[in-house]
Amino acid sequence: MWSFIKSFLPAWLATFLVASSLHTFQVLNALSSIGVEISSTEWLSTAWKDAVGLLPTYGIIIAIALLLAFGVVTIIRKYAIKHDIKKPRFITLTSVAGASSIAVALLAMQPILNVTLIAGARGYDGFLLQCFAGLLGGFIYGLLRATSESGALSNR
């Protein structure tokens, strides 16, 4: 369990911070494109405020989405090992699962909340950038898990 937590928390944090920062970038970039002048200090201040403001909602949504995705990957991996199927590449699976979990979460929020909670994900490019954040988190999770498992196996 400790190995999971040590892998999950950095993955979740990276996913959330990158997703939040990309959201802020998308929104402020759209404002800049219509002539609103935004200083570097305002960009940083807004990114910080967005991260703090999104943490209780989007942060939790990301955590739940990643937990579900990594749970599915674990089931698939155990099934493959049990049935002597060639070992799937764990980091690839977790990366795809991370990106997919963010896509599903964003797509599910629209009909449930009747609004796209993440303004930076309303366009196609913003949606893909949010999925990239999930891909990055999945990669970090897979890398940390694979590293901790190989270390645990070599200690036996």
Side-chain angles (χ1 to χ4, degrees):
M1 183 62 148
W2 180 241
S3 173
F4 169 78
I5 292 169
K6 287 189 331 187
S7 302
F8 181 78
L9 286 179
W12 166 77
L13 186 61
T15 302
F16 172 71
L17 290 176
V18 170
S20 176
S21 298
L22 289 171
H23 154 74
T24 303
F25 174 79
Q26 287 290 104
V27 171
L28 294 181
N29 193 45
L31 288 172
S32 294
S33 72
I34 59 170
V36 177
E37 290 190 32
I38 304 168
S39 70
S40 326
T41 307
E42 288 173 310
W43 276 78
L44 290 173
S45 172
T46 303
W48 172 252
K49 289 175 186 173
D50 280 353
V52 170
L54 288 171
L55 184 59
T57 52
Y58 198 39
I60 291 171
I61 290 168
I62 288 173
I64 293 168
L66 290 176
L67 279 170
L68 292 171
F70 298 155
V72 169
V73 166
T74 300
I75 292 168
I76 291 170
R77 189 169 183 223
K78 285 181 180 182
Y79 178 85
I81 291 168
K82 181 180 178 182
H83 291 88
D84 204 26
I85 299 170
K86 185 177 179 183
K87 185 177 178 182
R89 296 190 181 267
F90 186 63
I91 296 172
T92 302
L93 283 174
T94 57
S95 298
V96 171
S100 301
S101 71
I102 299 302
V104 169
L106 290 171
L107 292 171
M109 280 191 276
Q110 176 61 40
I112 293 170
L113 302 173
N114 203 24
V115 67
T116 303
L117 178 66
I118 307 303
R122 289 187 182 141
Y124 183 69
D125 54 343
F127 181 84
L128 289 176
L129 287 171
Q130 293 297 303
C131 292
F132 169 76
L135 181 116
L136 177 66
F139 177 80
I140 291 169
Y141 175 79
L143 185 64
L144 293 174
R145 266 316 258 202
T147 303
S148 70
E149 286 178 4
S150 66
L153 290 176
S154 66
N155 290 334
R156 289 184 183 175

